[in-house]
């Protein structure tokens, strides 16, 4: 981009550029905002020898938000944060594979189901702050920004990682918090440092290195404690990263630090600005008081549930307006990925610009008087009328803030509780002064507090939707409820709609949209519940969306409910709207206007309101006019078929498969022998697989664990249980306690702080209550250590998740074994932990059945039919390569193939040795085992042999070989990567940075592919 043609501040100096224009060093953001007012929607500033182009007009920001032309750029200031957070989500370069891996692993943590689990922790920490503020009522003022920072740090620590910073109980700051604050201040100062002054800051440099080392150690200790506990399936951010196995330990540490930075800095700033504007705008405050009073009345201690927070629409508008005026992450950089233009100015691939969000949020599209605080700018009507790229407080595109929904739920909850409880007194007539670090916050802002004694009387508006539906469908009317869902929210709503449809007499079925890519049925209505994924179809709706334009919709009747989050304004409801319009264009009949359910608002209310209108429309067309009002019969008779777990199995798409054999692969009599089992399983009719696919298994808890749980819960194992209303688990019949605890729930997950609080409520012993802690142990462990109390079963079931499927690589080839599959499984066992899935699978006997399905592996992980390959694995990670090598034998492929395989001892656990030696004799592979307990040539592990045989490895790589790695993602996978970097550096003379770029390119082009798991 030719910056000489862009406006810039006056009085530019040689060498220094615009450094002396405004208070650039202390207030760079506010200086840039002043420049934008004077220079317009695009301008440049020069910092020494570097020109930075700022973009702030709504039209121009819409251009750089186009993901086909621009992507995130890690600008110099953000690159400095890499010294703290490495390749975390916020600071990773686009080409670094860990960004996509971490994004995919962590995205479920911000699904609606996960958000509901965080709510109790958010409420607990909010009450801790309120307890602290109550002590200031009528006394000393509270320091707003500082207390908001304590709250948000404690919330992300507990909800994300099970770590309690205890900020409100400590007399001094937690060492991590102090080190983080100093480090962020150092990084900010470093970005403004003049090059020739560096020697003056060596003391600061040393202190920074010490602070980073301290933070790393604290986080590493948290990770080590979680691993040592053996807990799995916690569902929080740390659990997802450890259980997923995709991320190495250094990257997990980077992600934890990233979330601790982003999860507390931005939210605390937003809350502080919102409280400032509330005390300066009494009319706005009165409206907010009316809203919270209508919900909680005179309650001394409101107990809002998750759905209540979405109903605080005006409180949420207040937060959005505060974020408009002062977005706490105030600027983000965008890089051209093709040669293109911005507002007519050419920009070349690789050049970047900085979006100045506070200036964007003051563009003319926001109307007159943009400096005024007006939450009504965020009414749904005005939001719809505004350009979608006009509001960017969380960045843009696929790399926008992944945790925005978490932050806004936390902030809305707290702000509502504070408005309900206190009179906020601006005792010092505070005038806004902004402190700029990584983010922006009010500085020196204090409030005095008094308890509110009067409530605002509110008359609830009449409901515009009748939520109850009368009538019955004609007998035999089919209703298909189809979903487009990545994270499960739309799938769950689809199931609820189907359940309601059954009660209204429809014959219902639930399925993903892709099941109907060949066309929609005409024998009954079709209801679609769909979301967008970054403006694209969800994984289970890709085929349907692609086929939609060619469908014949004649005779099809449909209704569409879109589920989304208005925070993603640029893509909000994009796919539901496309599906709705596309179906209409095919000639299908729309039964009711498309519904919009907003996850950042009253989601359940939106769904309920639309559902009532939808049922009314369906019954007008498909209802039985002669049906009489339903009378409660004296009794009903229900025939229940299938097995006890039928409903659970159906939810996961499982079939019953018969075990044909289960044999030991290892000499377990040898002192080094660690069991590894070889299972052969018959596939049901109609089920097929491809090489390297996975078998997804739903296991059972072992009997001794079930008996222990029943004893601690003080239940009779043979006692019968029936659920009324909506069951907490997919159970369609009465079950015994033994069946419930065996098949349906996880019993070894770590207890959260909220679980311990519930346990304390049912423990009558004060010393035991005081000693209860969420220490990484399971609920059963904690109950056993504190036996005075127990949990009612209904409370226990709220705390434990449903049984989760486990995934095992298939080790056979369909070319040689099309109707049977093989598995290699190591039982996971330590002194105090037994793996649920591996124990279940390895104990199966011939003739037993396993509930399972075949799941496809990543397409990139399938070995090519020809061409050179390098396979690297350890232990049972050899499984998919056994199938791939069998394919090569069956096809007669003799292209070069190296298989590096780590085991303990050649006489103990060289798995399937005779089979692999026969394949090697046939020319299908060259086996390269390593034995860490009996190393040959000093090669303990696969990485050592790869480096030692670098001539052969490099020859294959130069010939286009693809590399496949399977096994332990914590130790082996990072070590193998390092070995390939060493090979490249040794063969080319490149430094490690160049070698890393080479490996990154292999990964990006699927020439280096990993399928790794947590070790």
């Amino acid at each position: 981009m030719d910056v000489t043609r862009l406006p810039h501040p006056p009085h530019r100096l040689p060498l220094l550029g615009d450094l002396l224009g405004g208070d650039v060093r202390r207030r760079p953001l506010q200086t840039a905002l002043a420049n934008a007012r004077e220079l317009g929607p695009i301008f440049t500033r020069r910092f020494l020898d570097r020109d930075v182009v700022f973009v702030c007009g709504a039209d121009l920001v819409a251009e750089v938000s186009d993901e086909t032309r621009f992507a995130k750029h890690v600008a110099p200031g953000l690159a400095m944060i890499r010294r703290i957070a490495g390749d975390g989500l916020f600071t990773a370069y686009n080409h670094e594979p860990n960004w996509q891996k971490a994004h995919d692993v962590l995205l479920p943590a911000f699904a609606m189901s996960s958000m509901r689990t965080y709510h109790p922790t958010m409420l607990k920490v909010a009450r801790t702050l309120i307890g602290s503020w109550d002590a200031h009522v009528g006394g000393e003022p509270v320091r707003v920004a500082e207390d908001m920072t304590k709250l948000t740090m404690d919330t992300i620590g507990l909800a994300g990682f099970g770590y309690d910073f205890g900020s409100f109980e400590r007399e001094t700051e937690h060492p991590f918090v102090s080190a983080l604050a100093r480090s962020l201040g150092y990084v900010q100062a470093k970005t403004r440092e003049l090059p020739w002054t560096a020697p003056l800051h060596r003391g600061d440099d040393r202190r920074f290195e010490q602070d980073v080392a301290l933070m790393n150690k604290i986080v590493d200790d948290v990770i080590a404690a979680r691993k040592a506990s053996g807990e799995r399936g916690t569902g929080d951010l740390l659990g997802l990263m450890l259980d997923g196995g995709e991320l190495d330990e250094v990257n997990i540490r980077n992600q934890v630090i990233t979330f601790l930075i982003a999860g507390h800095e931005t939210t605390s700033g937003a809350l502080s600005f919102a409280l400032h504007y509330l005390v300066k705008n009494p009319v706005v405050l009165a409206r907010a008081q009316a809203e919270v009073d209508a919900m909680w009345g005179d309650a001394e201690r409101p107990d809002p549930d998750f759905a209540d927070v979405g109903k605080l629409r005006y409180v949420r508008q207040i937060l959005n307006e505060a974020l408009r005026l002062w977005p706490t992450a105030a600027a983000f950089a965008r890089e051209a990925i093709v040669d293109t233009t911005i507002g007519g100015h050419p920009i070349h691939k690789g050049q970047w610009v900085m979006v100045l969000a506070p200036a964007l949020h003051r563009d003319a599209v926001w109307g007159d008087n943009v400096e005024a605080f007006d939450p009504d700018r965020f009414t749904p009507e005005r939001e719809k009328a505004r350009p979608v790229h006009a509001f960017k407080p969380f960045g843009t595109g696929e790399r926008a803030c992944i945790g925005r929904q978490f932050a806004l739920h936390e902030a809305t909850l707290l702000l509502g509780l504070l408005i309900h409880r206190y009179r906020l007194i601006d005792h010092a007539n505070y005038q806004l002064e902004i402190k700029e670090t990584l983010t922006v916050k009010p500085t020196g802002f204090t409030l005095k507090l008094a308890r509110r004694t009067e409530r605002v009387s509110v008359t609830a508006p009449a409901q515009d939707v009748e939520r109850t539906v009368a009538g019955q469908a004609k007998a035999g009317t089919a209703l298909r409820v189809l979903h487009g869902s990545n994270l499960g929210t739309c799938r769950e709503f689809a199931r609820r709609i189907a359940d309601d449809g059954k009660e209204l007499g429809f014959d219902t079925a639930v399925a993903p949209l892709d099941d109907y890519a060949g066309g929609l049925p005409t024998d009954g209505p079709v209801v679609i519940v769909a979301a967008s994924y970054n403006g694209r179809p969800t994984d289970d709706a890709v085929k349907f969306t692609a086929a939609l334009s060619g469908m014949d919709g004649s005779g099809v009747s449909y209704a569409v409910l879109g589920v989304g989050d208005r925070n993603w304004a640029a893509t909000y409801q994009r796919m539901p709207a496309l599906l709705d319009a596309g179906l209409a264009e095919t000639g299908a009949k729309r039964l009711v206007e498309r519904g919009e359910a907003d996850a950042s608002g009253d989601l359940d209310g939106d769904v309920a309101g639309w559902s009532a209108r939808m049922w009314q429309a369906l019954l007008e067309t498909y209802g039985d006019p002669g049906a009489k009002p339903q009378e409660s019969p004296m009794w009903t008779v229900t025939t229940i078929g299938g097995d006890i777990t039928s409903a659970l199995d159906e939810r996961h798409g499982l079939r019953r498969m018969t075990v044909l054999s289960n044999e030991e692969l290892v000499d377990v009599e040898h002192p080094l022998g660690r069991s590894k089992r070889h299972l052969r399983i018959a596939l049901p009719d109609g089920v097929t697989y491809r090489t390297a696919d996975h078998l997804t298994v739903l296991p059972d808890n072992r009997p001794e664990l079930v008996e222990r749980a029943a004893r601690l819960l003080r239940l009779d194992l043979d006692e019968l249980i029936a659920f009324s209303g909506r069951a907490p688990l997919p159970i369609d019949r009465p079950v015994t306690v033994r069946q419930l605890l065996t098949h349906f729930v996880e019993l070894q997950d770590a207890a959260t702080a909220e679980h311990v609080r519930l346990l304390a409520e049912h423990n009558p012993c004060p010393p035991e209550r005081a000693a209860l802690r969420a220490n990484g142990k399971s609920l059963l462990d904690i109950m056993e250590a504190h036996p005075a109390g127990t949990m009612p079963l209904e409370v226990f079931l709220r705390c434990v998740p449903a049984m989760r499927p486990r995934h095992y690589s298939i080790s056979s080839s369909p070319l040689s074994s099309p109707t049977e599959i093989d598995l290699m499984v190591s039982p996971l066992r330590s002194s105090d932990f037994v793996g649920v899935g591996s124990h279940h699978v390895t104990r199966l006997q011939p003739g037993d059945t396993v509930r399972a399905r075949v799941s496809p592996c990543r397409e990139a992980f399938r070995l090519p039919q020809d061409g050179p390959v390098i396979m690297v694995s350890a232990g049972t990670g050899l499984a998919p390569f056994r199938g791939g090598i069998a394919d090569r034998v069956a096809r007669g492929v003799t292209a070069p193939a190296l298989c590096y395989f780590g085991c303990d001892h050649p006489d103990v656990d060289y798995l399937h040795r005779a089979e692999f030696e026969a394949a090697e004799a046939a020319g299908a592979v060259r086996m390269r085992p390593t034995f860490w307990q009996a190393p040959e040539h000093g090669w303990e592990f696969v990485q050592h042999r790869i480096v030692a045989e670098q001539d052969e490895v490099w020859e294959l790589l130069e010939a286009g070989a693809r590399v496949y790695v399977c096994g332990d993602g914590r130790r082996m996978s990072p070590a193998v990567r390092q070995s390939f970097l060493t090979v490249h550096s040794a063969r080319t003379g490149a430094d490690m940075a160049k070698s890393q770029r080479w490996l990154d390119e292999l990964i990006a082009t699927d020439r280096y592919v990993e399928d790794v798991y947590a070790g």
Side-chain angles (χ1 to χ4, degrees):
M1 176 175 280
D2 183 2
V3 297
T4 62
R5 304 181 61 185
L6 298 177
H8 62 79
H11 314 303
R12 176 171 287 180
L13 299 174
L15 300 180
L16 293 178
D18 300 315
L19 274 178
L20 301 182
D23 193 354
V24 176
R25 300 195 65 196
R26 280 199 321 122
R27 297 186 175 117
L29 172 71
Q30 294 166 83
T31 300
L33 182 57
N35 293 152
R37 293 189 182 104
E38 297 170 2
L39 301 175
I42 182 169
F43 64 93
T44 181
R45 288 189 63 93
R46 180 171 295 166
F47 301 89
L48 301 177
D49 60 346
R50 186 176 75 242
D51 288 287
V52 176
V53 176
F54 289 91
V55 172
C56 45
D59 292 343
L60 301 179
V61 173
E63 286 196 60
V64 300
S65 298
D66 180 353
E67 296 278 298
T68 65
R69 298 192 290 145
F70 293 88
K72 174 170 178 166
H73 176 77
V74 178
L78 191 56
M80 288 290 295
I81 304 293
R82 287 176 62 91
R83 297 178 63 182
I84 304 173
D87 59 350
L89 279 176
F90 188 46
T91 48
Y93 294 112
N94 294 323
H95 67 271
E96 289 181 303
N98 275 339
W99 176 80
Q100 188 68 58
K101 286 184 179 182
H103 183 269
D104 293 346
V105 167
L106 291 168
L107 195 60
F110 299 100
M112 186 59 59
S113 57
S114 299
M115 292 299 303
R116 292 180 188 275
T117 67
Y118 302 141
H119 175 83
T121 300
M122 294 178 181
L123 181 57
K124 174 189 173 183
V125 179
R127 285 174 172 161
T128 303
L129 177 140
I130 287 171
S132 173
W133 277 27
D134 278 352
H136 288 262
V137 169
E140 292 298 309
V142 293
R143 300 167 66 195
V144 175
E146 290 81 355
D147 280 354
M148 295 304 110
T149 300
K150 290 179 181 179
L151 170 119
T152 52
M153 179 64 85
D154 283 6
T155 300
I156 187 61
L158 281 168
F161 315 109
Y163 187 83
D164 189 356
F165 288 98
S167 301
F168 290 98
E169 289 80 32
R170 301 177 63 93
E171 294 184 3
T172 59
E173 274 189 330
H174 190 286
F176 182 96
V177 177
S178 301
L180 179 59
R182 284 193 300 269
S183 297
L184 293 176
Y186 169 89
V187 166
Q188 189 75 0
K190 208 71 176 173
T191 62
R192 306 165 189 166
E193 182 180 279
L194 300 175
W196 52 86
T197 66
L200 303 176
H201 302 290
R202 286 172 182 161
D204 295 334
D205 297 342
R206 286 192 295 271
R207 181 56 187 267
F208 172 74
E209 297 299 333
Q210 293 168 359
D211 283 335
V212 171
L214 173 66
M215 290 188 290
N216 287 346
K217 182 181 185 305
I218 291 172
V219 173
D220 286 345
D221 288 347
V222 172
I223 295 171
R226 176 71 66 89
K227 288 165 56 182
S229 73
E231 57 192 296
R232 300 286 193 279
T234 58
D236 63 5
L237 299 173
L238 182 55
L240 285 169
M241 290 188 286
L242 290 174
D243 295 348
E246 293 286 327
L247 308 177
D248 59 68
E249 288 190 12
V250 172
N251 186 255
I252 292 175
R253 176 214 292 160
N254 291 339
Q255 304 299 350
V256 172
I257 292 174
T258 294
F259 276 101
L260 288 171
I261 295 172
H264 90 280
E265 274 288 306
T266 54
T267 315
S268 60
L271 280 163
S272 301
F273 281 117
L275 286 165
H276 162 70
Y277 284 113
L278 277 174
V279 297
K280 294 299 184 181
N281 293 271
V283 173
V284 172
L285 178 58
R287 282 184 62 184
Q289 289 171 337
E291 182 174 68
V292 297
D293 289 353
M295 179 171 290
W296 297 320
D298 292 324
E300 168 68 19
R301 180 185 163 96
D303 191 23
D305 62 21
F306 177 84
D308 288 341
V309 177
K311 297 172 185 175
L312 296 175
R313 292 182 181 272
Y314 192 67
V315 173
R316 176 61 176 278
Q317 289 174 214
I318 290 168
L319 280 164
N320 280 345
E321 178 68 350
L323 284 167
R324 180 188 71 84
L325 287 167
W326 293 109
T328 50
F332 57 92
R334 300 288 287 172
E335 175 183 327
I337 56 177
V338 294
D339 290 342
T340 184
T341 61
I342 306 174
H345 298 279
I347 180 170
H348 297 296
K349 179 180 178 180
Q351 293 184 311
W352 59 276
V353 299
M354 186 72 72
V355 174
L356 188 62
L360 166 67
H361 295 170
R362 288 164 170 82
D363 187 270
V365 299
W366 292 92
D368 299 330
N369 200 6
V370 291
E371 296 295 340
F373 184 77
D374 180 10
D376 282 336
R377 299 183 204 270
F378 288 91
T379 62
E381 298 75 22
R382 291 176 69 174
E383 281 194 286
K384 284 184 179 180
R386 196 161 45 239
V388 294
H389 293 292
F391 188 50
K392 296 287 184 184
F394 296 101
T396 192
E398 192 171 37
R399 294 202 58 183
C401 174
I402 193 175
R404 69 184 83 175
Q405 189 169 319
F406 182 103
L408 288 170
H409 185 91
E410 173 191 11
T412 306
L413 169 66
L414 178 73
L415 193 58
L417 291 171
L418 297 181
I419 292 168
H420 180 263
R421 191 170 186 84
Y422 301 112
R423 283 196 297 115
L424 307 170
I425 302 168
D426 184 15
H427 65 104
N429 189 24
Y430 174 75
Q431 301 303 305
L432 183 61
E433 182 179 351
I434 294 174
K435 180 181 180 180
E436 298 186 30
T437 55
L438 173 66
T439 60
V440 293
K441 291 181 184 176
T443 185
F445 177 33
T446 60
L447 290 172
K448 286 196 170 185
L449 304 171
R451 287 294 302 276
R452 290 182 63 209
T453 57
E454 296 181 1
R455 299 292 172 195
V456 179
S457 178
V458 179
T459 301
Q463 294 294 318
D464 60 349
V465 175
E466 177 59 50
R467 302 269 170 119
T468 60
V469 178
Q472 285 284 298
K474 296 174 185 174
T477 302
L479 168 64
R480 275 82 165 190
V481 188
L482 310 182
H483 55 76
S485 182
N486 268 0
L487 300 176
T489 301
C490 289
R491 183 167 58 248
E492 183 57 34
F493 280 130
R495 290 196 179 108
R496 290 189 198 176
I497 289 172
D499 290 344
D500 292 342
K502 285 182 182 178
E503 295 180 10
L504 292 170
F506 288 96
D507 293 340
T508 61
V510 179
L513 275 163
D514 277 353
D515 282 6
Y516 287 83
L520 293 173
T522 59
D523 59 343
V526 176
V527 175
I528 295 173
V529 187
S532 299
Y533 177 67
N534 286 318
R536 301 188 297 271
T538 53
D539 291 345
D540 59 356
V542 173
K543 296 176 184 176
F544 181 90
T545 305
L548 179 58
S549 60
M551 285 186 186
D552 179 6
S554 302
V556 175
S557 298
Y558 75 95
V560 175
L561 171 63
V563 179
D565 188 324
R566 201 176 293 277
N567 290 309
W568 280 262
T571 58
Y572 180 62
Q573 299 288 338
R574 179 179 293 173
M575 288 311 304
L578 184 151
L579 293 171
D580 182 47
L583 285 167
E585 290 174 5
T586 68
K589 176 185 176 183
R590 182 188 293 118
L591 294 168
V592 65
E593 288 299 311
R594 172 172 56 87
E596 292 189 4
D598 180 11
S600 65
D602 183 9
L603 178 65
D604 290 336
D606 291 344
V607 173
W610 179 83
S611 296
R613 297 192 296 274
M614 181 269 296
W615 290 126
Q616 184 176 355
L618 262 63
L619 290 174
E620 286 176 359
T621 303
Y622 298 97
D624 182 354
K628 295 180 179 179
Q630 294 293 301
E631 298 179 1
S632 299
M634 295 179 64
W635 63 79
T636 59
V637 177
T638 303
T639 301
I640 302 175
D643 299 292
I644 286 291
T645 59
S646 290
L648 180 62
D649 297 346
E650 181 182 355
R651 171 165 291 190
H652 292 289
L654 307 180
R655 301 277 298 276
R656 289 188 176 263
M657 304 184 184
T658 302
V659 177
L660 300 176
S661 62
N662 183 349
E663 300 172 347
E664 182 60 65
L665 287 169
V666 173
D667 179 6
V668 293
E669 299 300 321
H670 193 284
L672 298 176
R674 295 181 293 169
S675 177
K676 295 177 178 65
R677 306 294 298 186
H678 173 211
L679 285 85
R680 180 156 293 165
I681 298 171
L683 293 174
D685 291 343
V687 176
T688 60
Y689 74 104
R690 296 171 66 194
T691 304
D693 280 348
H694 299 99
L695 189 71
T696 297
V697 175
L698 200 62
D700 293 337
N701 287 310
R702 63 190 190 281
E704 54 268 35
L705 181 62
V706 170
E707 291 167 5
R708 178 186 179 217
R711 172 173 53 81
L712 293 170
L713 293 167
R714 301 172 189 173
L715 296 171
D716 182 344
L717 280 168
D718 296 318
E719 187 176 358
L720 203 60
I721 295 170
F723 295 95
S724 59
R726 292 191 186 275
L729 297 161
I731 299 175
D732 61 358
R733 68 198 72 199
V735 295
T736 65
V737 171
R738 188 188 309 276
Q739 291 166 336
L740 173 70
L741 299 179
T742 297
H743 303 302
F744 292 96
V745 293
E746 298 280 352
L747 295 175
Q748 298 189 137
D749 283 12
T752 67
E754 177 62 14
H755 299 161
V756 172
R757 183 187 70 78
L758 291 170
L759 184 58
E761 291 180 357
H762 297 90
N763 190 311
C765 175
E768 283 198 4
R769 282 202 305 272
L772 289 172
R773 293 289 185 276
N775 57 0
K777 299 293 186 180
S778 71
L779 266 175
L780 299 184
D781 293 334
I782 297 171
M783 291 164 67
E784 197 162 51
H786 304 88
T790 188
M791 267 187 169
L793 181 59
E794 59 270 21
V795 178
F796 182 75
L797 292 179
R798 284 165 49 194
C799 298
V800 293
M803 184 65 77
R804 290 182 299 274
R806 273 67 170 176
H807 309 282
Y808 301 96
S809 293
I810 295 173
S811 67
S812 52
S813 162
L815 295 180
S816 56
S817 179
T819 61
E820 300 170 358
I821 59 171
D822 290 355
L823 301 180
M824 298 184 202
V825 183
S826 292
L828 176 63
R829 179 183 289 272
S830 62
S831 59
D832 59 352
F833 181 83
V834 177
V836 176
S838 62
H839 178 275
H840 173 75
V841 171
T842 56
R843 293 295 184 90
L844 292 168
Q845 297 300 313
D848 288 348
T849 59
V850 60
R851 295 145 50 222
R853 71 170 187 268
V854 172
S855 301
C857 73
R858 290 174 58 202
E859 200 62 33
F861 195 72
R862 302 189 194 279
L863 268 61
Q865 293 190 11
D866 204 350
V869 295
I870 301 171
M871 297 165 275
V872 187
S873 66
T876 56
L878 184 63
F881 301 144
R882 177 178 179 246
I885 292 169
D887 278 354
R888 294 171 67 89
V889 171
R891 292 193 174 103
V893 177
T894 57
L898 299 180
C899 182
Y900 289 92
F901 161 47
C903 47
D904 294 339
H905 193 282
D907 299 330
V908 177
D909 61 347
Y910 191 145
L911 307 180
H912 297 287
R913 182 170 189 166
E915 182 181 318
F916 285 124
E917 288 177 343
E920 188 164 23
V925 68
R926 284 174 272 173
M927 298 299 294
R928 301 298 166 86
T930 61
F931 310 102
W932 81 282
Q933 294 284 9
E936 299 175 355
H937 311 293
W939 305 330
E940 291 186 358
F941 303 110
V942 289
Q943 60 266 28
H944 302 146
R945 188 162 185 175
I946 290 169
V947 173
E949 297 179 347
Q950 60 182 268
D951 291 349
E952 189 175 10
V953 169
W954 185 250
E955 181 181 351
L956 263 63
L957 289 170
E958 287 287 272
R962 296 177 179 272
V963 181
Y964 300 87
V965 182
C966 185
D968 168 27
R970 295 186 182 175
R971 294 174 296 274
M972 184 204 74
S973 171
V976 170
R977 283 193 184 199
Q978 185 60 47
S979 71
F980 278 91
L981 292 175
T982 301
V983 169
H984 179 268
S985 179
R987 301 298 299 185
T988 65
D991 58 25
M992 273 299 157
K994 290 182 180 177
S995 294
Q996 183 65 57
R997 287 194 291 272
W998 166 80
L999 182 58
D1000 291 343
E1001 177 65 19
L1002 291 187
I1003 293 169
T1005 56
D1006 289 334
R1007 282 191 57 200
Y1008 189 104
V1009 189
E1010 295 177 331
D1011 185 3
V1012 297
Y1013 49 83

